[in-house]
């Protein structure tokens, strides 16, 4: 079985839950983050997984470790930084399920990922049994410029040993100093990527694409050697690009959308799990859509494990 390691930041999540009898809105505390959401879903789908991040030495960091381990996720690559606590974010949901995020993360320990050579050497050892590394543009955005270069060098060495890299650009403008900085960082990472899981809206926002956006993506990454590009387009068909071949997979309609948080993250998990198990790209996209369909009918980036698996089973054709 392939083993996939996910690199990124996990934060404390506060999301609005149901109002109380006296009309007060209460907040539900949980833990989430784009690659965290993905690794949890991967584990629930039966994929052998590991998570790479930095946490603090506080109660909430301990709780995050406990939750990862309860999902059977390898945590030996997680570093604890003394005197720090994880980042925090709050979600505000509109009536149509769209969401707005508010962050407190400037001092989060995950911002120091790939900043220390001793830690990088440790990761070389702890991830030696992994077949794929998955990360996102948010991971790139929260670390320093020097750390990005050290991450790139690490990924190149990983690929030289036979590993593969999967990447979701997940462009969030507020995390970058300028669009040009994001463009450079994303381009460098995509040059070492084997499987790109991109959102077409993010591509258009980052690059200012006009006209045929799909063709723009094909041209932009034509020389990067990316074996497979998956374009997520919300409720529209998923587009899979394998060289000159283009495949469309229909996204089933979802009637009851409660919260679109983690839709892309769980889609990515469904796709990666299926592909790592030897499924076709079309079958992987179909599973990915089912994974996303379940999560958007509930609040939060990660929901109860048994509820998720039960509803995922019901979603199968």
């Amino acid at each position: 079985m392939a083993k996939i390691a996910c690199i990124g930041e996990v934060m404390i999540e506060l999301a609005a839950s149901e109002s109380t009898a006296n009309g007060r809105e209460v907040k539900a505390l949980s833990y989430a983050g784009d690659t965290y959401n993905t690794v949890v879903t991967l584990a629930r789908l039966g994929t052998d997984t590991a998570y790479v991040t930095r946490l603090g030495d506080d109660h909430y960091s301990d709780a995050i470790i406990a939750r990862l381990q309860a999902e059977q996720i390898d945590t030996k690559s997680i570093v604890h930084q003394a005197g720090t606590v994880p980042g925090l974010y709050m979600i505000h949901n509109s009536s149509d399920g769209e969401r707005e995020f508010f962050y407190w993360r400037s001092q989060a320990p995950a911002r120091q990922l790939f900043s220390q050579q001793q830690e990088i050497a440790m990761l070389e050892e702890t991830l030696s049994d992994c077949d794929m590394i998955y990360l996102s543009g948010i991971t790139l955005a929260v670390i320093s410029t020097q750390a990005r270069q050290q991450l790139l060098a690490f990924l190149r060495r990983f690929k030289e040993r036979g590993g593969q890299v999967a990447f979701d650009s997940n462009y969030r403008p507020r995390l970058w100093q300028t669009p040009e900085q994001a463009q450079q960082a994303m381009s460098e990472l995509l040059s070492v990527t084997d499987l790109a899981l991109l959102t077409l809206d993010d591509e258009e926002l980052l690059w200012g694409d006009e006209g045929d956006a799909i063709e723009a993506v094909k041209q932009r990454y034509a020389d990067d050697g990316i074996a497979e590009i998956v374009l997520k387009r919300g409720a529209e068909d998923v587009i899979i690009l394998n060289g000159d071949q283009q495949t469309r997979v229909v996204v089933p309609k979802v009637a009851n959308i409660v919260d679109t948080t983690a839709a892309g993250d769980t889609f990515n998990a469904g796709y990666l799990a299926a592909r790592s198990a030897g499924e076709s790209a079309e079958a992987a996209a179909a599973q990915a859509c089912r994974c996303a369909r379940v999560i958007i009918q509930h609040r939060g980036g990660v929901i109860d494990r048994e509820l998720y698996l039960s509803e995922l089973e019901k979603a199968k054709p």
Side-chain angles (χ1 to χ4, degrees), residues 237-255:
D237 294 357
V238 175
I239 305 293
I240 304 167
L241 304 174
N242 299 94
D244 294 329
Q245 182 179 351
Q246 179 174 310
T247 305
R248 287 177 175 263
V249 177
V250 175
V251 176
K253 301 293 183 184
V254 182

Side-chain angles (χ1 to χ4, degrees), residues 167 169-171 173 178-191 198-213 216-221 224 231:
F167 178 66
S169 57
N170 212 355
Y171 177 50
T178 65
E180 291 74 21
Q181 181 195 40
Q183 288 172 355
Q184 179 177 345
M186 303 281 196
S187 295
E188 289 176 342
L189 202 291
L190 283 159
S191 72
L198 309 178
T199 300
L200 198 58
D201 285 348
D202 286 354
E203 288 292 301
E204 293 175 304
L205 180 61
L206 176 58
W207 296 97
D209 293 335
E210 297 179 356
D212 188 339
V217 170
K218 291 170 65 175
Q219 294 300 320
R220 182 158 47 248
Y221 305 123
D224 284 333
L231 290 176

Side-chain angles (χ1 to χ4, degrees), residues 26-64:
V26 297
K27 297 290 182 181
L29 186 148
S30 187
Y31 305 98
D34 64 338
T35 59
Y36 173 87
N37 302 336
T38 299
V39 78
V40 169
T41 307
L42 275 168
R44 291 177 177 183
L45 293 170
T47 305
D48 193 8
T49 57
Y51 196 60
V52 179
T53 192
R54 276 173 145 257
L55 294 171
D57 55 357
D58 59 295
H59 165 77
Y60 296 107
S61 294
D62 292 343
I64 289 168

Side-chain angles (χ1 to χ4, degrees), residues 41-166:
T41 307
L42 275 168
R44 291 177 177 183
L45 293 170
T47 305
D48 193 8
T49 57
Y51 196 60
V52 179
T53 192
R54 276 173 145 257
L55 294 171
D57 55 357
D58 59 295
H59 165 77
Y60 296 107
S61 294
D62 292 343
I64 289 168
I65 292 289
R67 290 205 178 190
L68 287 165
Q69 291 177 344
E71 299 281 355
Q72 305 300 309
I73 296 166
D74 184 344
T75 60
K76 65 177 179 288
S77 299
I78 296 177
V79 172
H80 290 269
Q81 183 174 329
T84 64
V85 296
L88 167 71
Y89 76 101
M90 296 179 66
I91 303 171
H92 175 264
N93 290 101
S94 61
S95 59
D96 62 355
E98 288 304 317
R99 73 277 195 218
E100 187 176 6
F101 298 100
F102 301 88
Y103 293 97
W104 294 262
R105 74 197 310 180
S106 60
Q107 302 302 315
R111 298 181 76 91
Q112 301 302 314
L113 278 166
F114 288 91
S115 62
Q116 299 181 14
Q117 290 297 331
Q118 182 177 358
E119 239 170 73
I120 294 170
M122 179 271 289
L123 291 175
E124 301 265 6
E125 180 178 348
T126 58
L127 300 182
S128 62
D129 61 342
C130 290
D131 302 283
M132 174 177 281
I133 287 176
Y134 166 79
L135 69 162
S136 79
I138 291 179
T139 307
L140 294 185
V142 301
I143 64 178
S144 68
T145 301
Q146 180 181 358
R148 285 184 212 120
Q149 294 306 309
Q150 293 178 166
L151 169 60
L152 278 169
F154 171 83
L155 292 175
R156 291 189 184 104
R157 293 192 297 273
F158 179 76
K159 286 171 64 73
E160 287 172 359
R161 296 194 299 272
Q164 292 188 309
V165 175

